[in-house]
């Protein structure tokens, strides 16, 4: 601009010093396999760097340490980790921090799948350990599918209850069988005794007949 002072406009000497190193930077980025922004050219060796016009020359400059690939800029996650640790403790999770609905944040389907997997895993474990038979397994499996058990504790209680009921019914059946067997034995004894008495009476009758 015509309003610039004389000091603002570069002198011929400064123009001579301000050498364009665009070519060298491009070649260096190609050799170092990085972007042009990552390439550092030694400002004290501008003239020597400006003379390099091939990749071979650039490799020599890299070896001499006049051209360097800048180190990776650190992108620290310490603040993020600290924030996540606080969130695990329940901080920063109030109404003001929530964006979606409760169903969107933790869908009902996910909760259902988790519950089903827990219950089915327990049933499978009990069946393999022979704690329940395949018939009880199937009935409890279908009960779990029908939303009968709220959690693992309720299912375990149901299993214990079913097993206790089974044992009770078995005991009752055994008792009934024992009573039947006892009654049968009593009837048999009674019949046998009666038969013996009849035989004895017939024998006595037979002995008395010749006397008469």
């Amino acid at each position: 601009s015509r309003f610039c002072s004389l000091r603002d406009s570069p002198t011929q000497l400064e123009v001579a010093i301000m050498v364009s190193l665009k070519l060298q930077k491009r070649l260096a980025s190609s050799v170092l396999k990085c972007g042009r922004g990552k390439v550092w050219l030694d400002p004290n060796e501008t003239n020597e760097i400006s003379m390099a016009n091939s990749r071979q020359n650039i490799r020599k400059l890299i070896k001499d340490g006049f051209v360097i690939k800048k180190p990776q800029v650190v992108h620290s996650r310490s603040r993020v980790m600290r924030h996540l640790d606080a969130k695990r403790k329940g901080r920063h999770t109030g109404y003001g921090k929530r964006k979606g609905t409760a169903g969107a944040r933790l869908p009902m389907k996910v909760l259902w799948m988790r519950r089903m997997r827990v219950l089915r895993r327990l049933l499978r474990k009990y069946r393999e350990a022979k704690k329940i038979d395949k018939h009880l397994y199937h009935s409890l499996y279908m009960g779990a599918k029908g939303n009968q058990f709220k959690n693992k504790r309720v299912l375990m209680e149901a299993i214990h209850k079913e097993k206790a009921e089974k044992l009770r019914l078995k005991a009752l059946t055994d008792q009934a069988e024992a009573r039947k067997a006892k009654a049968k034995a009593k009837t048999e004894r009674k019949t046998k005794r009666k038969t013996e008495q009849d035989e004895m009476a017939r024998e006595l009758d037979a002995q008395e007949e010749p006397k008469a």
Side-chain angles (χ1 to χ4, degrees), residues 9-48:
S9 58
T11 60
Q12 285 183 345
L13 181 64
E14 285 173 339
V15 169
I17 291 166
M18 287 166 60
V19 181
S20 174
L21 301 174
K22 278 181 84 173
L23 170 68
Q24 286 74 15
K25 204 156 220 187
R26 181 174 66 76
L27 292 172
S29 75
S30 174
V31 170
L32 293 168
K33 293 186 174 61
C34 65
R36 277 174 282 188
K38 281 273 184 191
V39 176
W40 177 83
L41 305 175
D42 193 339
N44 300 323
E45 303 294 337
T46 311
N47 290 332
E48 193 171 337

Side-chain angles (χ1 to χ4, degrees), residues 1-189:
S1 168
R2 57 201 174 101
F3 298 108
C4 289
S5 64
L6 289 168
R7 188 71 200 89
D8 289 342
S9 58
T11 60
Q12 285 183 345
L13 181 64
E14 285 173 339
V15 169
I17 291 166
M18 287 166 60
V19 181
S20 174
L21 301 174
K22 278 181 84 173
L23 170 68
Q24 286 74 15
K25 204 156 220 187
R26 181 174 66 76
L27 292 172
S29 75
S30 174
V31 170
L32 293 168
K33 293 186 174 61
C34 65
R36 277 174 282 188
K38 281 273 184 191
V39 176
W40 177 83
L41 305 175
D42 193 339
N44 300 323
E45 303 294 337
T46 311
N47 290 332
E48 193 171 337
I49 292 168
S50 65
M51 298 290 286
N53 59 1
S54 68
R55 284 179 170 75
Q56 192 175 347
N57 293 344
I58 292 293
R59 284 194 191 93
K60 188 176 181 303
L61 292 173
I62 290 166
K63 193 178 177 185
D64 295 341
F66 298 155
V67 177
I68 298 171
K69 182 182 178 180
K70 289 182 193 174
Q72 183 73 39
V73 177
V74 176
H75 185 179
S76 174
R77 283 189 58 81
S78 64
R79 286 182 297 279
V80 177
M81 298 302 286
R82 197 162 63 238
H83 185 74
L84 289 173
D85 282 342
K87 279 189 85 170
R88 283 190 201 102
K89 291 175 187 172
R91 320 285 188 268
H92 320 294
T93 53
Y95 291 122
K97 291 286 182 184
R98 300 178 197 176
K99 291 286 185 184
T101 60
R105 286 161 64 82
L106 186 60
M108 288 296 288
K109 185 174 180 180
V110 170
L111 290 171
W112 171 262
M113 286 194 302
R114 282 181 192 171
R115 180 149 58 101
M116 283 300 103
R117 283 170 185 172
V118 166
L119 298 178
R120 287 172 182 177
R121 199 180 301 127
L122 180 73
L123 287 172
R124 204 159 50 242
K125 193 171 85 173
Y126 272 32
R127 185 181 62 179
E128 284 165 6
K130 301 283 188 291
K131 288 184 179 179
I132 56 173
D133 61 358
K134 63 181 182 180
H135 305 293
L136 183 56
Y137 169 86
H138 184 70
S139 66
L140 290 169
Y141 187 99
M142 297 311 286
K145 188 180 180 181
N147 200 20
Q148 197 173 327
F149 311 113
K150 190 170 75 170
N151 50 39
K152 197 156 86 168
R153 180 178 55 78
V154 175
L155 177 59
M156 285 171 81
E157 284 173 7
I159 290 169
H160 294 318
K161 194 176 174 184
E162 285 280 346
K163 285 174 80 176
E165 183 65 21
K166 247 186 175 181
L167 288 170
R168 193 180 69 82
L169 289 171
K170 191 174 183 296
L172 287 171
T173 309
D174 291 347
Q175 283 174 14
E177 288 291 331
R179 275 200 298 273
K180 267 187 193 175
K182 195 176 177 184
K184 192 178 178 185
K186 191 178 178 183
T187 309
E188 282 174 0
R189 279 201 308 273

